[in-house]
Amino acid sequence: MSLEDDDTVRAKANLGRVLSGKWTLEKVIGVGGMAAVYSAAHRTGSRAAVKMLHPDLARHDEVRARFLREAYIANTVAHDGVVTVVDDDVDEHGIPYLVMELLTGQSVGSLVHRAGGRLPLADVLRIADATLAVLEAAHDKQIVHRDLKPDNL
């Protein structure tokens, strides 16, 4: 019996797909309530992260608009701690996706899990300091992050 939820199973089914004739979805990086994120290779050989709205949500104009708006807002923060969205497009099924810089490393959630549920104080303070710096830059632009959690850091 699989422990994966339906969204994760659907996200994995997209592996190998080529979006807009240029981006090949290679690996699922993460799956959230709104979208799945993949590592992808461009036909030129460059690499990026591709965030695709879940198909069932893509049918709703308001959700589609919010998905794209959040990407454009993120680019206004202009902080090294915020992922840059470099492009957006729609696949052949009408599902919007974002192309973003592909980061290396691991999420804070993964770090905590690998550390057995607890990080050393020095690491916690370093992460908190970096997170607060990004939030300060966002708040300076009147932006409030509404999904702040270890897996998103």
Side-chain angles (χ1 to χ4, degrees):
M1 181 170 155
S2 174
L3 297 176
E4 295 179 332
D5 63 24
D6 290 342
D7 288 334
T8 301
V9 170
R10 281 192 289 269
K12 287 184 175 182
N14 281 326
L15 296 178
R17 278 190 61 204
V18 179
L19 303 177
S20 304
K22 32 184 184 179
W23 291 103
T24 302
L25 304 179
E26 297 183 327
K27 179 182 174 190
V28 176
I29 296 173
V31 179
M34 243 183 125
V37 180
Y38 303 86
S39 61
H42 191 270
R43 63 183 172 217
T44 63
S46 65
R47 306 203 34 80
V50 172
K51 183 175 185 177
M52 289 189 73
L53 192 59
H54 292 315
D56 55 325
L57 296 177
R59 295 188 305 249
H60 304 282
D61 290 340
E62 182 179 315
V63 175
R64 291 168 64 98
R66 189 174 85 205
F67 178 73
L68 294 172
R69 185 175 56 247
E70 288 178 3
Y72 303 145
I73 288 170
N75 278 352
T76 68
V77 175
H79 188 283
D80 288 344
V82 178
V83 174
T84 301
V85 178
V86 297
D87 195 12
D88 64 88
D89 207 339
V90 178
D91 77 358
E92 68 274 9
H93 303 292
I95 299 169
Y97 65 91
L98 306 171
V99 181
M100 305 174 292
E101 64 180 311
L102 180 63
L103 304 178
T104 59
Q106 55 189 324
S107 70
V108 172
S110 293
L111 283 173
V112 171
H113 179 74
R114 287 191 175 117
R118 203 172 173 143
L119 293 177
L121 180 59
D123 290 345
V124 171
L125 294 174
R126 179 183 49 77
I127 292 165
D129 186 55
T131 302
L132 290 171
V134 171
L135 289 174
E136 180 180 30
H139 291 178
D140 286 347
K141 299 283 187 175
Q142 312 303 304
I143 299 167
V144 176
H145 194 296
R146 295 181 297 177
D147 195 18
L148 197 59
K149 59 186 179 185
D151 287 335
N152 287 347
L153 299 174

